[in-house]
Amino acid sequence: MQILVLGGAGYIGGHTSVVLTERGHQVVIADNFSNSSRAAVARLEQVVGAPLPLHELDVRDSVGLERVFSQYRFDAVMHFAALKAVGESCKKPLDYFDNNISGTITVLRAMSEANVRRLVFSSSATVYGDPEQVPVREDAPLQASNPYGRTKLVMEQLIGDLCTADPNFRAAVLRYFNPVGAHPSGLIGEDPNGPPNNLMPFMCQVAVGRRERLQVFGDDYPTVDGTGVRDYLHVMDLARAHVDALDYLCNKDRSVTVNLGTGSGVSVLQMVKAFERAAGKAIPYDIVARRLGDSATVFADPGLAHALLGWKAEHDLDAMCRDAWRWQALNPQGYGSIIQPD
Ligand code: NAD
Ligand code: UDP
């Protein structure tokens, strides 16, 4: 099938483009490079061993989107293009509403007009807010704790309304828990702009010498060692889930909303230990105050994804840390260490 990957130059869209290509699909990437680069796409091409059609495009640009849709006959769209920093969303909520929500409306309209009726959408465990119960099931109460989370909640609702209005529209809404790791080649990986917000890329940058010490946000949570517990998931498992979800849309001809996680909770200090083993070096850290808005414990019940898509996470924590570290060690400055082709 021919698949339009919006946000395909980014971390998860890039890894998914690789798996799509490996599974025989033709990928077309569109991205505005607000949080990625052409260098990342050049590396993707190196991994798949073939050129990938690329369009520099903002998903809010309806004319540009229409042009891309008219150039190909897409069987489905995978929509990764969003801003994703929780802290930034609290400071600039309008930017998040515009980029994520307006962008998604523009994408949905372009799909309708081009008669493309299959969508795989990047949602997030953030739609559960601070969950009352773990493991979190898909029928748990939904709630936005910050503007970023609100955009995910609203986008899920918009997609749901479209599925109701158009009986032929099929969507797979994928609620990711904590994606980490990288392609085993070490050629592609996560390359955040500025200081990383997330634990894994921060540890990677400490290990490679770009940052001095990790700050552990709180050790007084009611957890195994007092630090926050999350459900970390290898990005290659996550990428595979997108292709499984696409198969589901085509074969079962039904829409679906599922959690994507391993189902296991890991504390910050357990994660630090696992990473130290993988990298073969110590990660110096300080315990500091809790980060505002953090939950104590969040992990998925991934049973529905297994039952419906036949998907299950396969990589363990050691593989996640090993692959994240390989990427960072080979690319200390991320994609910035590469000369960008024009
Ligand atoms: P990323 O920033 O690496 O990738 C997103 C890509 O979309 C980037 O290449 C960016 O340049 C592009 N983009 C953003 N706005 C755009 C626009 N208006 N037009 C065109 N391109 C645009 O992020 P990621 O980690 O790969 O996340 C992908 C998706 O998964 C996002 O929707 C994110 O909210 C969601 N998600 C991510 C995580 C995570 O921890 N990484 C967790 C849950 C959900
Ligand atoms: N965390 C931390 N130091 C950091 C970044 C994160 O201690 O520099 C903790 C954070 O409080 C949480 C866990 O690591 O308990 C995962 O945080 P991340 O931001 O990666 O994911 P999220 O909180 O969005 O699930």
Side-chain angles (χ1 to χ4, degrees), residues 86 125 177-180 196-203 214-218 221 227-232 266-268 286 288 290-291 293-296 298:
V86 171
F177 279 66
N178 291 62
V180 295
N197 297 309
N198 300 114
L199 178 61
M200 179 65 97
F202 205 102
M203 284 195 301
L214 172 72
Q215 294 192 323
V216 174
F217 299 138
Y221 287 107
T227 64
V229 166
R230 295 291 183 275
D231 187 339
Y232 299 94
V266 173
S267 78
V268 176
D286 302 305
V288 300
R290 292 181 177 194
R291 185 170 65 178
D294 271 357
S295 303
V298 185

Side-chain angles (χ1 to χ4, degrees), residues 6-14 30-37 57-60 79-84 99-100 103 121-125 148 152 155 174-179 190 198:
L6 302 170
Y11 172 48
I12 303 167
D31 203 298
N32 69 353
F33 302 123
S34 57
N35 196 37
S36 56
S37 64
L57 175 82
D58 193 299
V59 294
R60 290 164 295 180
H79 180 22
F80 298 91
L83 299 176
K84 61 167 185 174
N99 194 84
N100 295 3
F121 176 72
S122 301
S123 190
S124 166
Y148 166 69
K152 288 291 171 196
M155 292 185 285
L174 306 182
R175 295 178 177 157
Y176 314 158
F177 279 66
N178 291 62
E190 190 172 10
N198 300 114

Side-chain angles (χ1 to χ4, degrees), residues 45-95:
E45 294 180 326
Q46 214 178 320
V47 174
V48 301
L52 292 170
L54 171 64
H55 296 266
E56 182 164 358
L57 175 82
D58 193 299
V59 294
R60 290 164 295 180
D61 171 5
S62 56
V63 175
L65 261 186
E66 203 182 310
R67 199 176 312 122
V68 173
F69 273 96
S70 68
Q71 251 178 280
Y72 304 89
R73 286 177 61 85
F74 293 121
D75 297 286
V77 172
M78 293 202 178
H79 180 22
F80 298 91
L83 299 176
K84 61 167 185 174
V86 171
E88 186 186 54
S89 81
C90 297
K91 292 186 191 125
K92 302 177 180 173
L94 293 174
D95 287 358

